[in-house]
Amino acid sequence: MIANYHTHTWRCNHASGTERDYIEGAIRAGIKILGFSDHTPNPFSWNINDGIRMLPEQTEAYFRTIAALKEEYRDRIRILAGVEVEYIPDGFFELQRYLREFGCEYMIMGQHYLEGIYVRHLWDDEMELQLHIDQMIEGLSTGCFLYVAHPDLVRWSGDRDFYVEQMTRLCRSAKEHDVPLEFNLLGFRDGREYPNARFWPIAAEVGNRVILGLDAHCPEDMECELIEAAARKTLKSFGITDIAEEIL
Ligand SMILES: [Zn+2]
Ligand SMILES: [Zn+2]
């Protein structure tokens, strides 16, 4: 793996390891570009204190720590400072401005909630699935996202055709805006219901750009050689062989 743009740290309360631990792990794994994308602090929305992200008072230290390590490790690995963002229309541009002031270099879209409903709990309500996809499409149209993390997080047991229709809309929008979709290696490694075997043939059909993301929540997740090979094999079985590497 040349680049991984999806890395968390202890700051989000459900990951372990310091920034330095992840960097050392990445160097050992031969990764050349390591992007940090911890769950964004968000002073402008309801999720300001939902327990799975750093608080706004930690923002400065997060970016300062990464900036110092970027300098320290500059001859060994390229470090980037980003965040994983829940796209919520209210306050989104204020959030973007706020993050930029701290030197944020990129955002990945990680949609976990639909107005407070955890999307892995979106099972069969068509209105909810449609709203979730609408929100992601709106986020894509801002042009602010480097890629979409786990675009297939929804666990759907409802009508199959409806799922295909909605995911096709999402894939087409990502393609139109030239935003890659992430095949999430955390879910893949853990045998979760995502990456979803029903989703990736749709992305193959639409012709989306695809990228691998470790979604690392502990430094050991950087040891990725085997999981990467398995992921490439799985994607190949869906007809996806062209995987994006360095995108920033
Ligand atoms: Zn997380
Ligand atoms: Zn993540």
Side-chain angles (χ1 to χ4, degrees):
M1 185 175 238
I2 295 168
N4 170 55
Y5 300 96
H6 196 166
T7 314
H8 295 277
T9 74
W10 63 274
R11 294 176 199 276
C12 67
N13 302 318
H14 61 273
S16 60
T18 64
E19 289 80 355
R20 186 182 297 277
D21 297 333
Y22 287 90
I23 294 168
E24 291 288 343
I27 292 170
R28 276 196 298 276
I31 292 171
K32 304 288 178 220
I33 302 170
L34 180 66
F36 285 97
S37 53
D38 215 346
H39 298 282
T40 191
N42 190 345
F44 307 101
S45 190
W46 59 266
N47 66 0
I48 180 169
N49 188 8
D50 61 5
I52 61 154
R53 63 194 65 254
M54 68 185 98
L55 293 169
E57 45 268 42
Q58 295 175 283
T59 311
E60 199 267 332
Y62 172 66
F63 286 105
R64 180 167 33 82
T65 302
I66 297 170
L69 291 165
K70 184 188 189 108
E71 189 55 30
E72 181 183 334
Y73 282 89
R74 64 183 301 164
D75 297 331
R76 300 169 68 194
I77 187 167
R78 187 164 160 243
I79 309 283
L80 294 164
V83 282
E84 177 172 1
V85 174
E86 196 81 41
Y87 175 71
I88 300 167
D90 285 347
F92 178 70
F93 290 102
E94 287 90 337
L95 175 64
Q96 191 195 19
R97 218 173 301 129
Y98 167 83
L99 291 167
R100 265 202 202 134
E101 279 172 20
F102 289 100
C104 181
E105 293 171 285
Y106 70 93
M107 295 194 252
I108 58 176
M109 185 196 294
Q111 217 63 4
H112 302 83
Y113 293 97
L114 171 70
E115 288 152 14
I117 308 168
Y118 189 35
V119 304
R120 282 172 82 188
H121 296 163
L122 283 187
W123 290 314
D124 56 9
D125 186 313
E126 296 189 354
M127 185 85 92
E128 286 174 354
L129 181 59
Q130 184 158 345
L131 274 173
H132 168 61
I133 300 300
D134 283 348
Q135 204 163 72
M136 290 176 83
I137 289 175
E138 188 181 307
L140 283 165
S141 74
T142 63
C144 294
F145 292 100
L146 180 68
Y147 79 56
V148 182
H150 42 63
D152 50 347
L153 196 64
V154 170
R155 188 190 325 217
W156 185 251
S157 59
D159 185 74
R160 276 173 167 262
D161 292 343
F162 190 77
Y163 178 86
V164 171
E165 191 184 297
Q166 295 304 313
M167 293 303 157
T168 303
R169 286 205 304 132
L170 174 61
C171 289
R172 285 196 182 135
S173 171
K175 185 170 164 74
E176 185 190 326
H177 294 99
D178 197 28
V179 177
L181 302 178
E182 176 202 74
F183 188 85
N184 187 277
L185 295 182
L186 172 64
F188 188 63
R189 197 193 292 259
D190 284 1
R192 297 182 184 177
E193 72 284 1
Y194 66 93
N196 187 317
R198 282 193 283 165
F199 178 85
W200 292 96
I202 302 169
E205 171 84 23
V206 171
N208 285 104
R209 287 172 78 203
V210 175
I211 186 161
L212 303 178
L214 286 173
D215 199 356
H217 279 77
C218 64
E220 294 72 31
D221 285 347
M222 291 291 144
E223 292 161 21
C224 56
E225 201 181 327
L226 295 177
I227 202 72
E228 181 191 354
R232 284 178 185 274
K233 203 169 152 195
T234 298
L235 281 165
K236 196 173 171 189
S237 74
F238 297 129
I240 297 167
T241 50
D242 190 17
I243 315 272
E245 296 269 4
E246 183 176 349
I247 58 169
L248 185 67

